[in-house]
mmCIF file of all heavy atoms in Angstrom:
data_model
loop_
_atom_site.group_PDB
_atom_site.id
_atom_site.type_symbol
_atom_site.label_atom_id
_atom_site.label_comp_id
_atom_site.label_asym_id
_atom_site.label_seq_id
_atom_site.Cartn_x
_atom_site.Cartn_y
_atom_site.Cartn_z
ATOM 1 N N GLN L 281 97.457 112.192 81.466
ATOM 2 C CA GLN L 281 97.257 110.776 81.189
ATOM 3 C C GLN L 281 96.865 110.058 82.476
ATOM 4 O O GLN L 281 97.089 110.552 83.582
ATOM 5 C CB GLN L 281 98.528 110.147 80.629
ATOM 6 C CG GLN L 281 99.679 110.106 81.631
ATOM 7 C CD GLN L 281 100.910 109.384 81.090
ATOM 8 O OE1 GLN L 281 100.937 108.941 79.948
ATOM 9 N NE2 GLN L 281 101.933 109.246 81.912
ATOM 10 N N PHE L 282 96.268 108.888 82.311
ATOM 11 C CA PHE L 282 96.100 107.991 83.444
ATOM 12 C C PHE L 282 97.459 107.335 83.712
ATOM 13 O O PHE L 282 98.227 107.075 82.768
ATOM 14 C CB PHE L 282 95.050 106.925 83.145
ATOM 15 C CG PHE L 282 93.657 107.463 83.052
ATOM 16 C CD1 PHE L 282 92.961 107.438 81.850
ATOM 17 C CD2 PHE L 282 93.025 107.998 84.167
ATOM 18 C CE1 PHE L 282 91.673 107.942 81.761
ATOM 19 C CE2 PHE L 282 91.730 108.497 84.092
ATOM 20 C CZ PHE L 282 91.061 108.481 82.885
ATOM 21 N N PRO L 283 97.786 107.058 84.973
ATOM 22 C CA PRO L 283 99.048 106.366 85.259
ATOM 23 C C PRO L 283 99.137 105.082 84.447
ATOM 24 O O PRO L 283 98.134 104.387 84.244
ATOM 25 C CB PRO L 283 98.960 106.079 86.760
ATOM 26 C CG PRO L 283 98.006 107.110 87.286
ATOM 27 C CD PRO L 283 97.006 107.344 86.190
ATOM 28 N N ASN L 284 100.318 104.749 84.003
ATOM 29 C CA ASN L 284 100.479 103.555 83.186
ATOM 30 C C ASN L 284 101.913 103.061 83.261
ATOM 31 O O ASN L 284 102.808 103.779 83.711
ATOM 32 C CB ASN L 284 100.073 103.831 81.730
ATOM 33 C CG ASN L 284 100.923 104.909 81.091
ATOM 34 O OD1 ASN L 284 101.953 104.628 80.495
ATOM 35 N ND2 ASN L 284 100.497 106.169 81.213
ATOM 36 N N CYS L 285 102.126 101.851 82.809
ATOM 37 C CA CYS L 285 103.474 101.296 82.784
ATOM 38 C C CYS L 285 103.630 100.417 81.552
ATOM 39 O O CYS L 285 102.646 100.022 80.919
ATOM 40 C CB CYS L 285 103.767 100.516 84.069
ATOM 41 S SG CYS L 285 102.755 99.040 84.283
ATOM 42 N N GLU L 286 104.871 100.128 81.226
ATOM 43 C CA GLU L 286 105.148 99.285 80.069
ATOM 44 C C GLU L 286 104.766 97.842 80.366
ATOM 45 O O GLU L 286 104.872 97.369 81.501
ATOM 46 C CB GLU L 286 106.633 99.356 79.707
ATOM 47 C CG GLU L 286 107.119 100.745 79.335
ATOM 48 C CD GLU L 286 106.442 101.286 78.081
ATOM 49 O OE1 GLU L 286 106.155 100.476 77.169
ATOM 50 O OE2 GLU L 286 106.201 102.507 78.021
ATOM 51 N N GLY L 287 104.313 97.144 79.349
ATOM 52 C CA GLY L 287 104.022 95.726 79.471
ATOM 53 C C GLY L 287 102.578 95.445 79.842
ATOM 54 O O GLY L 287 101.864 96.306 80.371
ATOM 55 N N LYS L 288 102.126 94.248 79.549
ATOM 56 C CA LYS L 288 100.772 93.810 79.875
ATOM 57 C C LYS L 288 100.836 92.988 81.153
ATOM 58 O O LYS L 288 101.226 91.811 81.152
ATOM 59 C CB LYS L 288 100.189 92.994 78.725
ATOM 60 C CG LYS L 288 98.720 92.658 78.894
ATOM 61 C CD LYS L 288 98.170 91.989 77.641
ATOM 62 C CE LYS L 288 96.682 91.697 77.786
ATOM 63 N NZ LYS L 288 96.128 91.073 76.566
ATOM 64 N N LEU L 289 100.478 93.631 82.278
ATOM 65 C CA LEU L 289 100.604 92.992 83.579
ATOM 66 C C LEU L 289 99.404 92.093 83.869
ATOM 67 O O LEU L 289 98.282 92.391 83.471
ATOM 68 C CB LEU L 289 100.709 94.048 84.684
ATOM 69 C CG LEU L 289 101.819 95.100 84.556
ATOM 70 C CD1 LEU L 289 101.839 95.966 85.805
ATOM 71 C CD2 LEU L 289 103.181 94.453 84.319
ATOM 72 N N SER L 290 99.677 91.012 84.607
ATOM 73 C CA SER L 290 98.577 90.217 85.148
ATOM 74 C C SER L 290 97.900 91.039 86.234
ATOM 75 O O SER L 290 98.437 92.054 86.700
ATOM 76 C CB SER L 290 99.108 88.904 85.729
ATOM 77 O OG SER L 290 99.881 89.178 86.896
ATOM 78 N N LEU L 291 96.737 90.596 86.701
ATOM 79 C CA LEU L 291 96.027 91.342 87.737
ATOM 80 C C LEU L 291 96.856 91.426 89.020
ATOM 81 O O LEU L 291 96.951 92.492 89.641
ATOM 82 C CB LEU L 291 94.666 90.700 88.022
ATOM 83 C CG LEU L 291 93.778 91.467 89.009
ATOM 84 C CD1 LEU L 291 93.553 92.904 88.561
ATOM 85 C CD2 LEU L 291 92.445 90.747 89.177
ATOM 86 N N ASP L 292 97.499 90.331 89.415
ATOM 87 C CA ASP L 292 98.328 90.361 90.622
ATOM 88 C C ASP L 292 99.497 91.322 90.450
ATOM 89 O O ASP L 292 99.833 92.090 91.377
ATOM 90 C CB ASP L 292 98.855 88.951 90.947
ATOM 91 C CG ASP L 292 97.763 88.043 91.509
ATOM 92 O OD1 ASP L 292 96.726 88.579 91.958
ATOM 93 O OD2 ASP L 292 97.949 86.814 91.489
ATOM 94 N N GLU L 293 100.130 91.305 89.287
ATOM 95 C CA GLU L 293 101.244 92.227 89.026
ATOM 96 C C GLU L 293 100.759 93.675 89.029
ATOM 97 O O GLU L 293 101.447 94.579 89.526
ATOM 98 C CB GLU L 293 101.887 91.896 87.670
ATOM 99 C CG GLU L 293 102.647 90.587 87.645
ATOM 100 C CD GLU L 293 103.069 90.188 86.241
ATOM 101 O OE1 GLU L 293 102.375 90.584 85.261
ATOM 102 O OE2 GLU L 293 104.082 89.484 86.118
ATOM 103 N N ALA L 294 99.558 93.894 88.487
ATOM 104 C CA ALA L 294 99.010 95.252 88.434
ATOM 105 C C ALA L 294 98.728 95.777 89.841
ATOM 106 O O ALA L 294 99.017 96.934 90.159
ATOM 107 C CB ALA L 294 97.735 95.271 87.588
ATOM 108 N N LEU L 295 98.167 94.934 90.705
ATOM 109 C CA LEU L 295 97.881 95.358 92.077
ATOM 110 C C LEU L 295 99.174 95.658 92.827
ATOM 111 O O LEU L 295 99.240 96.623 93.611
ATOM 112 C CB LEU L 295 97.083 94.272 92.803
ATOM 113 C CG LEU L 295 95.650 94.053 92.277
ATOM 114 C CD1 LEU L 295 95.010 92.855 92.960
ATOM 115 C CD2 LEU L 295 94.798 95.298 92.469
ATOM 116 N N ALA L 296 100.190 94.871 92.573
ATOM 117 C CA ALA L 296 101.486 95.135 93.205
ATOM 118 C C ALA L 296 102.067 96.459 92.714
ATOM 119 O O ALA L 296 102.664 97.213 93.488
ATOM 120 C CB ALA L 296 102.454 93.981 92.914
ATOM 121 N N GLU L 297 101.860 96.772 91.444
ATOM 122 C CA GLU L 297 102.347 98.038 90.884
ATOM 123 C C GLU L 297 101.621 99.222 91.521
ATOM 124 O O GLU L 297 102.229 100.254 91.817
ATOM 125 C CB GLU L 297 102.145 98.045 89.366
ATOM 126 C CG GLU L 297 102.617 99.302 88.657
ATOM 127 C CD GLU L 297 104.109 99.505 88.728
ATOM 128 O OE1 GLU L 297 104.855 98.516 88.928
ATOM 129 O OE2 GLU L 297 104.545 100.673 88.589
ATOM 130 N N VAL L 298 100.313 99.076 91.761
ATOM 131 C CA VAL L 298 99.545 100.143 92.408
ATOM 132 C C VAL L 298 100.079 100.393 93.816
ATOM 133 O O VAL L 298 100.208 101.546 94.256
ATOM 134 C CB VAL L 298 98.046 99.790 92.435
ATOM 135 C CG1 VAL L 298 97.271 100.781 93.306
ATOM 136 C CG2 VAL L 298 97.482 99.780 91.021
ATOM 137 N N GLU L 299 100.423 99.342 94.520
ATOM 138 C CA GLU L 299 100.985 99.507 95.860
ATOM 139 C C GLU L 299 102.341 100.212 95.804
ATOM 140 O O GLU L 299 102.670 101.025 96.678
ATOM 141 C CB GLU L 299 101.095 98.143 96.550
ATOM 142 C CG GLU L 299 99.729 97.554 96.904
ATOM 143 C CD GLU L 299 99.839 96.220 97.625
ATOM 144 O OE1 GLU L 299 100.966 95.674 97.685
ATOM 145 O OE2 GLU L 299 98.809 95.737 98.125
ATOM 146 N N ARG L 300 103.125 99.920 94.767
ATOM 147 C CA ARG L 300 104.416 100.616 94.608
ATOM 148 C C ARG L 300 104.206 102.105 94.338
ATOM 149 O O ARG L 300 105.084 102.925 94.586
ATOM 150 C CB ARG L 300 105.229 99.973 93.480
ATOM 151 C CG ARG L 300 105.964 98.724 93.900
ATOM 152 C CD ARG L 300 107.001 98.308 92.873
ATOM 153 N NE ARG L 300 106.390 97.811 91.655
ATOM 154 C CZ ARG L 300 106.051 96.535 91.460
ATOM 155 N NH1 ARG L 300 106.257 95.641 92.426
ATOM 156 N NH2 ARG L 300 105.511 96.148 90.330
ATOM 157 N N MET L 301 103.025 102.466 93.816
ATOM 158 C CA MET L 301 102.700 103.878 93.602
ATOM 159 C C MET L 301 102.334 104.593 94.903
ATOM 160 O O MET L 301 102.089 105.795 94.900
ATOM 161 C CB MET L 301 101.508 104.001 92.630
ATOM 162 C CG MET L 301 101.751 103.482 91.239
ATOM 163 S SD MET L 301 100.188 103.569 90.267
ATOM 164 C CE MET L 301 100.704 102.771 88.743
ATOM 165 N N GLY L 302 102.289 103.847 96.010
ATOM 166 C CA GLY L 302 101.924 104.440 97.284
ATOM 167 C C GLY L 302 100.436 104.421 97.563
ATOM 168 O O GLY L 302 99.943 105.197 98.384
ATOM 169 N N LEU L 303 99.697 103.537 96.878
ATOM 170 C CA LEU L 303 98.243 103.459 97.028
ATOM 171 C C LEU L 303 97.837 102.075 97.523
ATOM 172 O O LEU L 303 98.543 101.087 97.280
ATOM 173 C CB LEU L 303 97.557 103.753 95.686
ATOM 174 C CG LEU L 303 97.828 105.124 95.067
ATOM 175 C CD1 LEU L 303 97.387 105.138 93.616
ATOM 176 C CD2 LEU L 303 97.109 106.208 95.846
ATOM 177 N N ARG L 304 96.689 102.009 98.181
ATOM 178 C CA ARG L 304 96.177 100.719 98.648
ATOM 179 C C ARG L 304 94.918 100.363 97.860
ATOM 180 O O ARG L 304 93.880 101.026 97.986
ATOM 181 C CB ARG L 304 95.860 100.782 100.135
ATOM 182 C CG ARG L 304 97.115 100.948 101.005
ATOM 183 C CD ARG L 304 96.759 100.989 102.465
ATOM 184 N NE ARG L 304 96.067 99.766 102.884
ATOM 185 C CZ ARG L 304 95.542 99.604 104.091
ATOM 186 N NH1 ARG L 304 95.592 100.592 104.982
ATOM 187 N NH2 ARG L 304 94.938 98.464 104.410
ATOM 188 N N PRO L 305 94.984 99.341 97.017
ATOM 189 C CA PRO L 305 93.813 98.945 96.235
ATOM 190 C C PRO L 305 92.672 98.472 97.130
ATOM 191 O O PRO L 305 92.894 97.782 98.124
ATOM 192 C CB PRO L 305 94.329 97.788 95.372
ATOM 193 C CG PRO L 305 95.814 97.930 95.384
ATOM 194 C CD PRO L 305 96.170 98.522 96.711
ATOM 195 N N ARG L 306 91.465 98.885 96.759
ATOM 196 C CA ARG L 306 90.282 98.471 97.512
ATOM 197 C C ARG L 306 89.446 97.483 96.699
ATOM 198 O O ARG L 306 89.021 96.460 97.205
ATOM 199 C CB ARG L 306 89.448 99.696 97.885
ATOM 200 C CG ARG L 306 88.200 99.376 98.686
ATOM 201 C CD ARG L 306 87.365 100.627 98.930
ATOM 202 N NE ARG L 306 88.068 101.590 99.774
ATOM 203 C CZ ARG L 306 87.657 102.851 99.957
ATOM 204 N NH1 ARG L 306 86.572 103.294 99.333
ATOM 205 N NH2 ARG L 306 88.334 103.651 100.751
ATOM 206 N N GLU L 307 89.183 97.805 95.422
ATOM 207 C CA GLU L 307 88.329 96.936 94.606
ATOM 208 C C GLU L 307 88.638 97.148 93.129
ATOM 209 O O GLU L 307 88.723 98.280 92.654
ATOM 210 C CB GLU L 307 86.855 97.238 94.865
ATOM 211 C CG GLU L 307 85.898 96.388 94.034
ATOM 212 C CD GLU L 307 84.449 96.775 94.234
ATOM 213 O OE1 GLU L 307 84.179 97.741 94.978
ATOM 214 O OE2 GLU L 307 83.586 96.122 93.624
ATOM 215 N N VAL L 308 88.817 96.054 92.415
ATOM 216 C CA VAL L 308 88.932 96.101 90.952
ATOM 217 C C VAL L 308 87.536 95.894 90.392
ATOM 218 O O VAL L 308 86.862 94.911 90.724
ATOM 219 C CB VAL L 308 89.875 95.003 90.423
ATOM 220 C CG1 VAL L 308 89.873 95.007 88.897
ATOM 221 C CG2 VAL L 308 91.276 95.198 90.967
ATOM 222 N N TYR L 309 87.068 96.832 89.569
ATOM 223 C CA TYR L 309 85.692 96.675 89.091
ATOM 224 C C TYR L 309 85.556 96.583 87.570
ATOM 225 O O TYR L 309 84.449 96.388 87.065
ATOM 226 C CB TYR L 309 84.784 97.780 89.638
ATOM 227 C CG TYR L 309 85.183 99.209 89.325
ATOM 228 C CD1 TYR L 309 84.680 99.864 88.214
ATOM 229 C CD2 TYR L 309 86.038 99.901 90.174
ATOM 230 C CE1 TYR L 309 85.025 101.175 87.944
ATOM 231 C CE2 TYR L 309 86.388 101.209 89.914
ATOM 232 C CZ TYR L 309 85.884 101.847 88.801
ATOM 233 O OH TYR L 309 86.239 103.146 88.535
ATOM 234 N N ARG L 310 86.655 96.655 86.849
ATOM 235 C CA ARG L 310 86.537 96.464 85.403
ATOM 236 C C ARG L 310 87.923 96.336 84.791
ATOM 237 O O ARG L 310 88.883 96.942 85.267
ATOM 238 C CB ARG L 310 85.806 97.645 84.771
ATOM 239 C CG ARG L 310 85.460 97.448 83.279
ATOM 240 C CD ARG L 310 84.797 98.665 82.688
ATOM 241 N NE ARG L 310 83.720 99.162 83.529
ATOM 242 C CZ ARG L 310 83.173 100.363 83.403
ATOM 243 N NH1 ARG L 310 83.607 101.196 82.479
ATOM 244 N NH2 ARG L 310 82.179 100.750 84.192
ATOM 245 N N GLN L 311 88.012 95.553 83.720
ATOM 246 C CA GLN L 311 89.210 95.524 82.884
ATOM 247 C C GLN L 311 88.771 95.602 81.429
ATOM 248 O O GLN L 311 87.819 94.918 81.043
ATOM 249 C CB GLN L 311 90.026 94.247 83.114
ATOM 250 C CG GLN L 311 90.704 94.158 84.467
ATOM 251 C CD GLN L 311 91.674 92.980 84.527
ATOM 252 O OE1 GLN L 311 92.700 92.973 83.872
ATOM 253 N NE2 GLN L 311 91.316 91.982 85.324
ATOM 254 N N VAL L 312 89.428 96.418 80.648
ATOM 255 C CA VAL L 312 89.118 96.498 79.219
ATOM 256 C C VAL L 312 90.423 96.541 78.435
ATOM 257 O O VAL L 312 91.456 96.994 78.941
ATOM 258 C CB VAL L 312 88.265 97.748 78.868
ATOM 259 C CG1 VAL L 312 86.941 97.723 79.594
ATOM 260 C CG2 VAL L 312 89.016 99.033 79.177
ATOM 261 N N GLU L 313 90.372 96.062 77.222
ATOM 262 C CA GLU L 313 91.532 96.131 76.333
ATOM 263 C C GLU L 313 91.228 97.102 75.203
ATOM 264 O O GLU L 313 90.152 97.044 74.599
ATOM 265 C CB GLU L 313 91.878 94.751 75.794
ATOM 266 C CG GLU L 313 92.399 93.805 76.869
ATOM 267 C CD GLU L 313 92.996 92.542 76.298
ATOM 268 O OE1 GLU L 313 92.915 92.348 75.055
ATOM 269 O OE2 GLU L 313 93.536 91.744 77.080
ATOM 270 N N ARG L 314 92.146 97.970 74.938
ATOM 271 C CA ARG L 314 91.996 98.955 73.878
ATOM 272 C C ARG L 314 93.324 99.087 73.133
ATOM 273 O O ARG L 314 94.386 98.711 73.648
ATOM 274 C CB ARG L 314 91.603 100.330 74.447
ATOM 275 C CG ARG L 314 90.220 100.365 75.092
ATOM 276 C CD ARG L 314 89.135 100.240 74.038
ATOM 277 N NE ARG L 314 87.797 100.304 74.642
ATOM 278 C CZ ARG L 314 87.100 99.248 75.022
ATOM 279 N NH1 ARG L 314 87.630 98.029 74.878
ATOM 280 N NH2 ARG L 314 85.906 99.381 75.547
ATOM 281 N N LYS L 315 93.261 99.663 71.943
ATOM 282 C CA LYS L 315 94.502 99.949 71.226
ATOM 283 C C LYS L 315 94.430 101.362 70.656
ATOM 284 O O LYS L 315 93.347 101.936 70.486
ATOM 285 C CB LYS L 315 94.751 98.940 70.110
ATOM 286 C CG LYS L 315 93.812 99.038 68.924
ATOM 287 C CD LYS L 315 94.226 98.023 67.864
ATOM 288 C CE LYS L 315 93.291 98.073 66.650
ATOM 289 N NZ LYS L 315 93.695 97.101 65.614
ATOM 290 N N HIS L 316 95.594 101.925 70.385
ATOM 291 C CA HIS L 316 95.658 103.244 69.758
ATOM 292 C C HIS L 316 96.813 103.238 68.772
ATOM 293 O O HIS L 316 97.912 102.757 69.087
ATOM 294 C CB HIS L 316 95.851 104.348 70.779
ATOM 295 C CG HIS L 316 95.792 105.715 70.171
ATOM 296 N ND1 HIS L 316 94.604 106.296 69.776
ATOM 297 C CD2 HIS L 316 96.776 106.595 69.844
ATOM 298 C CE1 HIS L 316 94.858 107.487 69.247
ATOM 299 N NE2 HIS L 316 96.153 107.689 69.279
ATOM 300 N N ILE L 317 96.551 103.780 67.590
ATOM 301 C CA ILE L 317 97.546 103.760 66.519
ATOM 302 C C ILE L 317 98.086 105.170 66.292
ATOM 303 O O ILE L 317 97.335 106.100 66.003
ATOM 304 C CB ILE L 317 96.943 103.209 65.218
ATOM 305 C CG1 ILE L 317 96.515 101.751 65.422
ATOM 306 C CG2 ILE L 317 97.945 103.321 64.068
ATOM 307 C CD1 ILE L 317 95.757 101.153 64.261
ATOM 308 N N PHE L 318 99.388 105.309 66.463
ATOM 309 C CA PHE L 318 100.097 106.518 66.063
ATOM 310 C C PHE L 318 100.681 106.267 64.677
ATOM 311 O O PHE L 318 100.489 105.197 64.093
ATOM 312 C CB PHE L 318 101.215 106.837 67.061
ATOM 313 C CG PHE L 318 100.731 107.089 68.461
ATOM 314 C CD1 PHE L 318 100.711 106.071 69.409
ATOM 315 C CD2 PHE L 318 100.293 108.347 68.845
ATOM 316 C CE1 PHE L 318 100.267 106.293 70.700
ATOM 317 C CE2 PHE L 318 99.849 108.593 70.142
ATOM 318 C CZ PHE L 318 99.831 107.572 71.064
ATOM 319 N N THR L 319 101.416 107.234 64.152
ATOM 320 C CA THR L 319 101.955 107.070 62.797
ATOM 321 C C THR L 319 102.882 105.863 62.703
ATOM 322 O O THR L 319 102.774 105.060 61.771
ATOM 323 C CB THR L 319 102.723 108.345 62.375
ATOM 324 O OG1 THR L 319 101.839 109.466 62.513
ATOM 325 C CG2 THR L 319 103.172 108.236 60.929
ATOM 326 N N HIS L 320 103.782 105.712 63.671
ATOM 327 C CA HIS L 320 104.784 104.643 63.581
ATOM 328 C C HIS L 320 104.702 103.643 64.729
ATOM 329 O O HIS L 320 105.483 102.697 64.775
ATOM 330 C CB HIS L 320 106.195 105.250 63.571
ATOM 331 C CG HIS L 320 106.411 106.231 62.464
ATOM 332 N ND1 HIS L 320 106.347 105.875 61.134
ATOM 333 C CD2 HIS L 320 106.669 107.563 62.482
ATOM 334 C CE1 HIS L 320 106.561 106.948 60.382
ATOM 335 N NE2 HIS L 320 106.755 107.977 61.173
#
Side-chain angles (χ1 to χ4, degrees):
Q281 66 176 2
F282 291 114
N284 61 90
C285 65
E286 299 297 325
K288 188 173 182 179
L289 305 185
S290 68
L291 185 56
D292 286 342
E293 290 171 332
L295 292 174
E297 180 65 23
V298 171
E299 291 182 351
R300 279 193 290 272
M301 297 175 185
L303 300 166
R304 293 181 59 186
R306 181 184 295 168
E307 179 184 3
V308 175
Y309 58 93
R310 188 183 312 165
Q311 291 189 68
V312 299
E313 292 191 355
R314 294 290 181 267
K315 70 177 179 179
H316 185 75
I317 297 173
F318 299 95
T319 305
H320 303 297

